Amino acid sequence: MRPRVAVLGTFDVDNYGDHLFPRIAVAELTRRLPGATVDCYGPFGPLHPTRFTGGPPIRPLGPWEDGRLDRFADTYHGMVVGGGELLHLDDLLLAGFYGVEPAEVELVQPSRWFLEGVGAAREERCPVLWHAIGVPYDLSCTQAARVRSALAHRAPPVVRDAFSRDRLLAAGVLPPVVVAPDSGLLVDRLWDGDELEDRLRRLRARGRHPEESALVVQGCDLLVPWADAIAGAARRLARAHAMHLVLLETGCCRGDAVFADAVARRLGQEPHHRIPADADLADVAAVLATAGLFVGSSLHGAITALVHGRPFVVMNLGIESKLRGFARSAGLHHRVVEDIDAIGPVATAALREPPLVELVADLQAQVDRHFDALASAIVEAMEMRPPTERAPAPGDLERTALLAHVDTLRSELAEARAVAADAGSEVERLRATRTFRYAAPLRAARRSWLALAERRRT
């Protein structure tokens, strides 16, 4: 029997880091489990396409309901949840990131997939294994009780930073809570130097990247209030160190384009390049892996620069927990700024510091040990599981998920049609009133005036 593994996360959101996770998980698990089937799942899968194509197919999770959970538990020997900042327990928050209606998120209930998994009884044959996930905030009493209940019967949970560990312990989760570094630290195994250089050549041929050393600037919408100061700091750094400014977007779900637009306006006539918004995952990685200096708020932008030996500064002006957690766990406090005036001095110091080769090797070794543990747990679950007649095919799971979404969209369409019908009836009622008939000359005069104004404008 060959291992079958499901990997769950927000792999279908338009964000650089979220698309590194499934690629790395598939590569590392199949390397440790020869012949294994590793399927990746996101809340919506192909229903929410992004520009970051080319990795493993992302299948839709579908509704969190008994029949589907049974099929998952029968299909897979283990469910790996992560990476990413998944323990937020606020499903409706995802509607904004995905640009979908709340009803679509409520159908899937992603937080239940990520926390409760397939349920305690089913986990006896399909264990749920946390893959270095993040806990973004302190848990309320209700949330803490839910987390304790979900984790009570499992192996120790694995989170990606010390802040996440401390939040689980404060919520009453029994120790140990294991910290394993973010799996994005293995990004240098996805593309070799020649592939990245080829991507860079293509961008240069399109006039989107300079031939010379690049100072790459990136930020999310949290940083827009500081756009003027960041643009000024970047301009001064570029001039002082003979670099060319490059604006990079690592995804649309966090408002990177809004920030890039704001900085571009502040730069004015200052020469700069802008990586196209349709750049794919390897393009983004190539820009980061070859940067003369990266200054940004993207965690995985900083991680990509780190593992490729490039100097970087993390702008945590929005005080994001995941950035503080990364700095604390990796010992990189000196590369994270929470004061706008510190960008210049910290960047200058980063340019003088040699590549952090030993730190990267240690962090990657920790990630490798974590993947070793995941693979061992899956093999153990497979060996303890009694043979079944026939496991459902993953394609069956995908079809049922898509059908559930179709049903939801049909319900929303029916509701919209009912509202439209009511509105149409109200319009007809208004048209039948005496006031509407008496105002006909005024409406005709207004149309004539608008037509005349349009002719004069053109």
Side-chain angles (χ1 to χ4, degrees), residues 143-166:
Q143 291 169 333
R146 181 179 164 190
V147 170
R148 289 196 303 271
S149 176
L151 299 182
H153 57 279
R154 290 187 194 157
V158 182
V159 295
R160 70 179 178 186
D161 58 57
F163 284 118
S164 297
R165 177 198 61 203
D166 294 347

Side-chain angles (χ1 to χ4, degrees), residues 81-104:
V81 179
E85 203 159 37
L86 299 182
L87 202 71
H88 53 72
L89 303 181
D90 183 0
D91 288 332
L92 294 184
L93 180 68
L94 291 179
F97 285 114
Y98 281 96
V100 300
E101 293 299 319
E104 295 182 60

Side-chain angles (χ1 to χ4, degrees), residues 176-241:
V177 175
V178 179
V179 175
D182 192 291
S183 64
L185 286 155
L186 304 186
V187 62
D188 57 338
R189 300 181 186 176
L190 295 180
W191 304 280
D192 62 29
D194 290 340
E195 290 177 288
L196 296 178
E197 186 56 39
D198 181 59
R199 294 294 185 139
L200 217 56
R201 280 195 295 269
R202 295 183 197 181
L203 289 170
R204 286 167 175 161
R206 296 171 62 186
R208 296 306 189 102
H209 194 280
E211 295 289 341
E212 299 82 1
S213 180
L215 194 168
V216 179
V217 180
Q218 172 274 335
C220 64
D221 52 9
L222 293 176
L223 271 59
V224 170
W226 295 278
D228 187 54
I230 292 170
R235 185 187 296 112
R236 290 188 293 273
L237 284 166
R239 291 174 178 173
H241 301 282

Side-chain angles (χ1 to χ4, degrees), residues 22 32 83 99 106 147 155 215 244 246 285 308 364 390 400 408 410:
R32 290 165 171 82
E106 290 174 341
V147 170
L215 194 168
H244 288 253
V246 174
H308 286 91
Q364 290 185 332
R390 175 185 174 272
T400 57
T408 299
R410 282 174 175 165

Side-chain angles (χ1 to χ4, degrees), residues 36-78:
T37 296
V38 181
D39 295 320
C40 300
Y41 287 85
F44 302 105
L47 297 170
H48 191 266
T50 75
R51 59 173 162 140
F52 296 129
T53 58
I58 308 301
R59 304 171 184 272
L61 282 171
W64 193 85
E65 58 188 21
D66 287 338
R68 187 157 178 80
L69 299 178
D70 287 336
R71 288 191 289 274
F72 255 84
D74 290 340
T75 302
Y76 296 107
H77 297 111

Side-chain angles (χ1 to χ4, degrees), residues 24 44 58 73 107 116 125 149 151 200 213 238 311 341 351 369 376-377 380 386:
I24 292 170
F44 302 105
I58 308 301
L107 169 71
E116 280 87 1
R125 63 185 190 277
S149 176
L151 299 182
L200 217 56
S213 180
D341 294 329
L351 287 164
R369 289 194 291 272
S376 297
E380 181 180 352

Side-chain angles (χ1 to χ4, degrees), residues 253-264:
C253 75
R254 295 289 306 277
D256 280 28
V258 176
F259 172 79
D261 289 343
V263 171

